[in-house]
Amino acid sequence: MTDNTQRPASGPNSAPELPTQYTPAEVEGPLYERWVERGYFDADAKSDKPAYTIVIPPPNVTGSLHLGHAFEHTLIDALTRRKRMQGFETLWQPGMDHAGIATQNVVERELAKEGKSRHDLGREAFVERVWQWKAESGGQIAGQMRRLGNGVAWSRDRFTMDEGLSRAVQTVFKKMFDEGLIYQAERIINWCPRCLTAISDIEVDYQDDGGELVSMKYGEGEDTVVVATTRAETMLGDTAIAVHPDDERYAHLVGKQITLPLTGRTIPVVADTHVDPEFGTGAVKVTPAHDPNDFAIGQRHNLESIEVLDERGIITAHGPFEGLDRFEARSAIVAAMRAEGRIVAEKRPYVHSVGHCSRCKTTLEPRLSLQWWVKVETLAKAAGDAVRDGRVNIHPADLSQRYFDWVDNLNDWCISRQLWWGHRIPVWHGPNGETVCVGPDEQPPSGEGWEQDTDVLDTWFSSGLWPFSTLGWPEQTEDLAKFYPNSVLVTGYDLMFFWVARMMMFGLYAMDGEVPFKTIAFHGMVRDEHGKKMSKSFGNTVNPLDWMDKYGSDALRFTLARGANPGTDVPIGEDWVQASRNFANKIWNATRFAMMNGATIEGELPSPEEMSATDRWILSRLNTVVAEADALYDDYQFAKLADALYHFAWDEVFDWYVELSKTTFMAGGDAAKVSARVLGEVLDVTLRLLHPIVPFVTETLWTTLTGRETVVLADWPTDSAFRDAAAEAEIENLQQVITEVRRFRADQGLQPGQKVPARLDLSGTSLAAHEAAIRQLLRLQPEGDGFNATATLPVAGATVALDLSGTIDVAAERKRLAKDLAAAEKEKAQAEGKLGNEAFLAKAPDNVVDKIRGRLAKAEEDIVRLQNQINNLPSA
């Protein structure tokens, strides 16, 4: 299992030098830069190694490293580091997204400080200003990714608006336009009056708002109809009243014209099956220009669409409400209707779900608008089929249904945005209504009256091409041939619709049916230690850089990996990061101690016949853990993987094997040399197993232990199939003896270092060879003259007799334990009394009852423990 493939950096390390303490701040930065300078993370398309490819979910150019990034990047880095060690030509593709709306907003805020708007600069100058901002301030996250240890191929860094990716965008657009998959149409879209652009359905955040529901009377006399609305201001654009065809209450009105209050217009009553006769009054107002359902009704009945709100949410209808903001107009219209006696009912607050812009949180406005669309029917079907037929695997599998629910019911995608920053739509409009789409190698039409479309593409259009555009497509490059399709996509389940479905559709379309990735591994969101969503408004957000400064990057990475169960959210608290820092320190201190005591990888591993049972046990356990780590990696079970490595390293290697070997090292001789070589082997493999998750501390220790250049390119451990069930059973019995006697000592109040005379009867067991280790670890002296066995502990077939006379004040200890026992019995009686009180149980909240049940269980445990301690006390 030892890696001998690398040239030693400076020869075997016979006298390793490690500082007494591990200081991450002094190690991590220089170490990372050395990795990058030596090209460890580069990927060569000409290599004959098998390819392993992962793209980074491109962070926004406006962004900085947050815990979500740190979490996701830790998982990807662990996968790619392992694959690199396994001999794959590994590409972790880095890059950033131009983030249309977010970036434009940032630069517009900068201009506002100068008292300017983008319109003062004009489109060309504004876009140049954004590029300038990117060069000076954008992309700070790249430096923060280095802090985390991301093993990305920096020489391949891409940006969604660089020349190559822009060419890919234009190529795909042209191809889809020519095939009729991209079209322009007037539809109801989600409009943000703050960002002044359309946004897609999946960029809408729905939240419950406390609005109002107003029931209003339309028409006169017998031709009166009552309708209810939460958006009274839109009644100025009503062009019909709709009722169900089978609703006899309104049969006499269908086809008639009735009065629309406040406007001087009349509108028809139409019959449409969309109307639910059981909801409200069974009649609904129809505003085709400002509601998607109403637009559909309008299409079916050839109704006029009257826009009464402009792009900023200002009323444009002629009359007393013109120029009012939509919310001001809402109150004014209700007041005017009330004055005419047309308000039948008002309900405030009326809590209902309202769409908000995911970027700026402004209440969105459904608005009729001419936009560009992708026809998704065939694309979405292909994206669904690729998962159904097994070409793409979703992990965890239970998220597949959520994916199908989306792609099987996907509406056409609005891809145009009314922004200046982004990929401008490559369509030119002529003076006589002509439309020409221009490819990347084509000249746009010229002459009077020809103008390019003013809209830009949705950011997700370009990021949807990410798995292949970053590899040089549409050119048939060596990179594309080597590294496409990607091996796996690691991303949050929240991006299933935003990004994953887009990549699936575009990849299958542009790459002639070849999937963009073979596996989609979804992870959850990072939450605070109480499981609550992190939010600035909650005051529970954390800057991961602060924790890295305080505890080291390895500590943060290990904490995140240890919480990463597939597809589920990850709670994290500072105490857990501190515990991971302690683990890094444990690795450091234990390795340093082992190397000071001769641990080495020099020479062949001794044969099993030359080893002690302790040596064979740890090697058997090591191979089991290697196999377990491989299985967990392949199943993306990062939490179980981190936990398994933690307990193996801390518990079995450092707390058991190192401790059990101390007597061997002290005795010296051949046995000590064998154990030193075994310990070196165990440390070598353990550090390599840990490296993908905690790269910095393991690199420092492994290179010192082995004298080799780097663990980054070391061989990944393989299971040698060595197992020794007898040795494992023998050491398990030894552990039981030591654990049980330690527990008894603690129960009796003995100090850890306090020595106690003891007689060991190990006959009939395999533990005789371990008597020296048992006595050393348990601080047990030989029995000597006058030995009085005041306590006898049978465990694992052995017997340990202890003489506690003279080591504790038996009378005082009995008195103390009796007092504690009385308190526990009182606690038990009180808890039983409350839980037996039916009146109390009927009124008390569930959490209070649960707390009392917990107190009862604890009291019962304490009673058993204290009674055992009293029974085990020696006679006075």
Side-chain angles (χ1 to χ4, degrees):
M1 289 182 291
T2 299
D3 169 51
N4 291 305
T5 63
Q6 297 181 80
R7 176 181 54 82
S10 57
N13 194 348
S14 57
E17 294 182 5
L18 285 171
T20 55
Q21 290 185 327
Y22 176 54
T23 309
E26 296 177 1
V27 171
E28 293 176 350
L31 193 54
Y32 184 83
E33 293 308 315
R34 184 161 71 249
W35 288 335
V36 173
E37 289 167 6
R38 295 182 179 181
Y40 295 159
F41 306 138
D42 293 343
D44 183 4
K46 293 182 171 62
S47 168
D48 58 2
K49 297 178 182 178
Y52 185 81
T53 315
I54 294 182
V55 293
I56 198 169
N60 287 353
V61 68
T62 59
S64 59
L65 190 74
H66 57 63
L67 273 177
H69 290 129
F71 172 53
E72 184 170 78
H73 293 186
T74 294
L75 305 187
I76 299 175
D77 197 40
L79 290 173
T80 53
R81 284 180 181 269
R82 172 181 176 247
K83 285 297 181 179
R84 192 176 291 112
M85 296 172 74
Q86 286 182 313
F88 285 78
E89 193 62 32
T90 302
L91 170 60
W92 182 8
Q93 174 65 54
M96 285 185 292
D97 192 282
H98 66 278
I101 295 177
T103 306
Q104 180 158 318
N105 283 347
V106 167
V107 178
E108 285 196 79
R109 284 197 294 271
E110 293 295 316
L111 286 174
K113 296 175 183 177
E114 304 170 15
K116 297 178 182 178
S117 73
R118 61 184 166 115
H119 300 285
D120 295 323
L121 273 65
R123 183 168 193 147
E124 186 175 340
F126 176 77
V127 171
E128 181 60 35
R129 179 69 177 261
V130 180
W131 279 109
Q132 179 184 342
W133 174 88
K134 176 189 178 293
E136 295 173 355
S137 305
Q140 63 174 319
I141 192 173
Q144 297 164 348
M145 287 162 57
R146 291 172 178 260
R147 285 284 314 277
L148 190 65
N150 287 10
V152 300
W154 286 114
S155 61
R156 296 170 172 268
D157 199 14
R158 302 306 298 267
F159 180 56
T160 51
M161 282 186 62
D162 67 26
E163 183 178 353
L165 271 65
S166 295
R167 180 179 179 83
V169 167
Q170 196 171 353
T171 300
V172 166
F173 189 100
K174 169 69 172 175
K175 177 177 169 63
M176 297 181 79
F177 180 91
D178 290 347
E179 295 178 6
L181 293 175
I182 287 180
Y183 64 96
Q184 194 175 29
E186 196 172 42
R187 301 266 183 87
I188 293 289
I189 47 87
N190 302 296
W191 181 266
C192 178
R194 160 62 183 81
C195 297
L196 299 180
T197 183
I199 66 172
S200 66
D201 293 342
I202 54 177
E203 293 175 298
V204 179
D205 288 341
Y206 286 95
Q207 65 185 49
D208 289 339
D209 284 0
E212 59 181 349
L213 180 67
V214 181
S215 298
M216 305 184 295
K217 184 166 58 178
Y218 286 17
E220 304 292 345
E222 294 182 357
D223 296 343
T224 297
V225 178
V226 174
V227 297
T229 182
T230 59
R231 300 164 66 216
E233 68 280 7
T234 63
M235 63 88 61
L236 300 175
D238 287 356
T239 56
I241 294 291
V243 297
H244 194 276
D246 300 330
D247 194 336
E248 295 181 358
R249 294 171 296 175
Y250 301 112
H252 67 289
L253 289 178
V254 174
K256 283 189 175 183
Q257 296 281 326
I258 65 172
T259 303
L260 178 63
L262 307 181
T263 66
R265 291 191 290 117
T266 60
I267 56 176
V269 177
V270 299
D272 195 282
T273 54
H274 170 76
V275 180
D276 181 0
E278 302 298 325
F279 183 78
T281 63
V284 297
K285 60 191 286 297
V286 182
T287 320
H290 295 283
D291 183 273
N293 293 322
D294 293 2
F295 177 78
I297 293 174
Q299 293 284 295
R300 289 192 289 271
H301 297 278
N302 297 314
L303 299 176
E304 183 182 6
S305 293
I306 301 175
E307 293 185 51
V308 297
L309 289 165
D310 71 6
E311 61 182 7
R312 297 183 183 276
I314 304 300
I315 297 292
T316 59
H318 293 297
F321 310 107
E322 184 177 4
L324 293 181
D325 172 80
R326 53 183 168 158
F327 300 118
E328 295 173 334
R330 183 175 300 174
S331 299
I333 286 171
V334 171
M337 293 286 279
R338 189 184 298 111
E340 292 189 6
R342 292 184 175 275
I343 299 297
V344 176
E346 297 178 73
K347 183 177 181 180
R348 296 189 186 91
Y350 178 71
V351 178
H352 62 131
S353 182
V354 177
H356 293 73
C357 175
S358 62
R359 299 291 183 184
C360 68
K361 310 310 177 187
T362 299
T363 300
L364 296 173
E365 197 64 45
R367 185 169 185 253
L368 186 63
S369 181
L370 183 65
Q371 301 286 343
W372 289 94
W373 304 81
V374 169
K375 189 180 296 184
V376 301
E377 182 179 1
T378 58
L379 303 175
K381 182 180 184 304
D385 289 345
V387 175
R388 286 189 170 94
D389 63 24
R391 283 176 289 155
V392 176
N393 295 307
I394 288 180
H395 193 279
D398 58 8
L399 287 179
S400 297
Q401 189 56 51
R402 186 174 175 185
Y403 174 82
F404 294 139
D405 289 344
W406 176 256
V407 296
D408 292 347
N409 298 283
L410 199 57
N411 295 319
D412 284 0
W413 172 21
C414 177
I415 57 171
S416 46
R417 299 292 181 267
Q418 289 64 57
L419 303 170
W420 286 357
W421 172 246
H423 293 100
R424 195 165 175 180
I425 288 177
V427 170
W428 270 254
H429 302 285
N432 299 311
E434 305 97 328
T435 299
V436 175
C437 182
V438 177
D441 297 317
E442 300 172 352
Q443 291 296 319
S446 59
E448 186 177 351
W450 282 95
E451 292 184 355
Q452 186 176 0
D453 197 285
T454 57
D455 289 350
V456 301
L457 286 166
D458 179 7
T459 300
W460 296 104
F461 192 100
S462 53
S463 59
L465 314 181
W466 194 246
F468 53 91
S469 64
T470 52
L471 298 173
W473 188 92
E475 307 303 325
Q476 296 305 306
T477 64
E478 288 183 324
D479 286 342
L480 194 65
K482 179 73 174 181
F483 296 112
Y484 188 90
N486 292 184
S487 306
V488 62
L489 173 73
V490 177
T491 190
Y493 60 69
D494 59 322
L495 290 183
M496 183 183 293
F497 315 131
F498 284 99
W499 191 42
V500 177
R502 312 296 197 208
M503 287 189 289
M504 286 287 284
M505 291 191 296
F506 277 140
L508 290 161
Y509 173 75
M511 298 301 294
D512 299 322
E514 192 168 15
V515 296
F517 23 72
K518 299 171 185 176
T519 298
I520 306 169
F522 286 115
H523 60 72
M525 305 296 103
V526 179
R527 296 179 177 271
D528 72 10
E529 58 191 306
H530 305 295
K532 191 174 183 180
K533 180 181 178 180
M534 287 190 173
S535 167
K536 290 181 180 178
S537 60
F538 297 154
N540 63 348
T541 57
V542 174
N543 184 345
L545 297 173
D546 293 340
W547 281 352
M548 286 192 281
D549 287 342
K550 192 171 183 180
Y551 303 111
S553 299
D554 284 336
L556 177 62
R557 290 170 60 114
F558 193 79
T559 304
L560 291 167
R562 205 173 182 189
N565 290 299
T568 60
D569 291 346
V570 182
I572 185 172
E574 185 169 3
D575 288 349
W576 305 342
V577 184
Q578 184 175 354
S580 295
R581 187 272 313 274
N582 295 344
F583 178 50
N585 288 342
K586 182 74 170 182
I587 299 170
W588 182 274
N589 293 332
T591 303
R592 182 173 178 272
F593 172 84
M595 292 169 65
M596 290 172 61
N597 283 272
T600 181
I601 65 162
E602 296 303 314
E604 292 295 323
L605 196 63
S607 67
E609 292 74 23
E610 298 175 87
M611 298 180 194
S612 68
T614 308
D615 295 331
R616 297 195 305 275
W617 161 73
I618 196 62
L619 289 176
S620 181
R621 288 293 305 130
L622 178 66
N623 278 287
T624 299
V625 169
V626 168
E628 185 178 0
D630 279 330
L632 292 172
Y633 259 120
D634 291 341
D635 199 33
Y636 306 100
Q637 296 280 358
F638 294 100
K640 292 180 180 178
L641 167 71
D643 207 50
L645 295 179
Y646 173 91
H647 286 295
F648 175 71
W650 191 309
D651 299 345
E652 298 187 79
V653 178
F654 303 143
D655 277 359
W656 282 111
Y657 182 71
V658 170
E659 292 299 318
L660 289 172
S661 299
K662 283 182 179 179
T663 53
T664 305
F665 291 142
M666 290 172 62
D670 290 341
K673 292 178 181 179
V674 169
S675 290
R677 180 63 187 86
V678 170
L679 181 52
E681 180 79 5
V682 172
L683 289 175
D684 166 28
V685 175
T686 301
L687 291 170
R688 281 188 276 148
L689 288 173
L690 285 166
H691 173 72
I693 302 177
V694 284
F696 294 107
V697 67
T698 52
E699 169 84 340
T700 306
L701 293 173
W702 190 85
T703 53
T704 305
L705 171 70
T706 65
R708 295 190 171 95
E709 181 181 317
T710 180
V711 72
V712 175
L713 303 180
D715 288 343
W716 180 253
T718 55
D719 179 6
S720 71
F722 174 78
R723 299 291 191 279
D724 192 323
E728 290 197 38
E730 181 175 324
I731 302 305
E732 183 178 343
N733 288 337
L734 175 60
Q735 290 171 330
Q736 287 182 24
V737 170
I738 294 172
T739 300
E740 192 62 33
V741 176
R742 278 176 173 168
R743 182 182 297 116
F744 177 78
R745 285 176 58 107
D747 287 346
Q748 301 306 315
L750 297 176
Q751 295 300 313
Q754 190 171 353
K755 295 183 177 181
V756 177
R759 177 188 300 138
L760 304 183
D761 183 1
L762 307 176
S763 58
T765 74
S766 58
L767 300 178
H770 303 285
E771 181 169 354
I774 293 172
R775 287 190 177 277
Q776 179 180 328
L777 293 176
L778 293 173
R779 303 296 188 268
L780 302 180
Q781 295 177 318
E783 52 191 278
D785 295 335
F787 178 79
N788 179 23
T790 59
T792 302
L793 303 176
V795 56
T799 302
V800 179
L802 303 174
D803 183 356
L804 299 181
S805 57
T807 60
I808 59 174
D809 184 335
V810 176
E813 185 66 10
R814 190 180 299 279
K815 184 177 180 181
R816 181 186 70 81
L817 293 173
K819 181 179 179 181
D820 291 346
L821 179 61
E825 290 172 336
K826 181 179 179 181
E827 174 74 4
K828 177 186 176 185
Q830 290 176 341
E832 287 177 334
K834 288 185 177 181
L835 293 174
N837 186 332
E838 294 296 334
F840 170 78
L841 293 177
K843 295 179 181 179
D846 290 344
N847 65 318
V848 172
V849 175
D850 289 343
K851 187 175 181 180
I852 293 172
R853 287 184 178 133
R855 285 168 50 191
L856 175 60
K858 176 67 166 53
E860 289 173 338
E861 290 175 5
D862 288 345
I863 290 170
V864 172
R865 175 178 57 81
L866 292 165
Q867 285 177 336
N868 286 337
Q869 288 180 239
I870 292 172
N871 293 339
N872 284 321
L873 282 173
S875 303

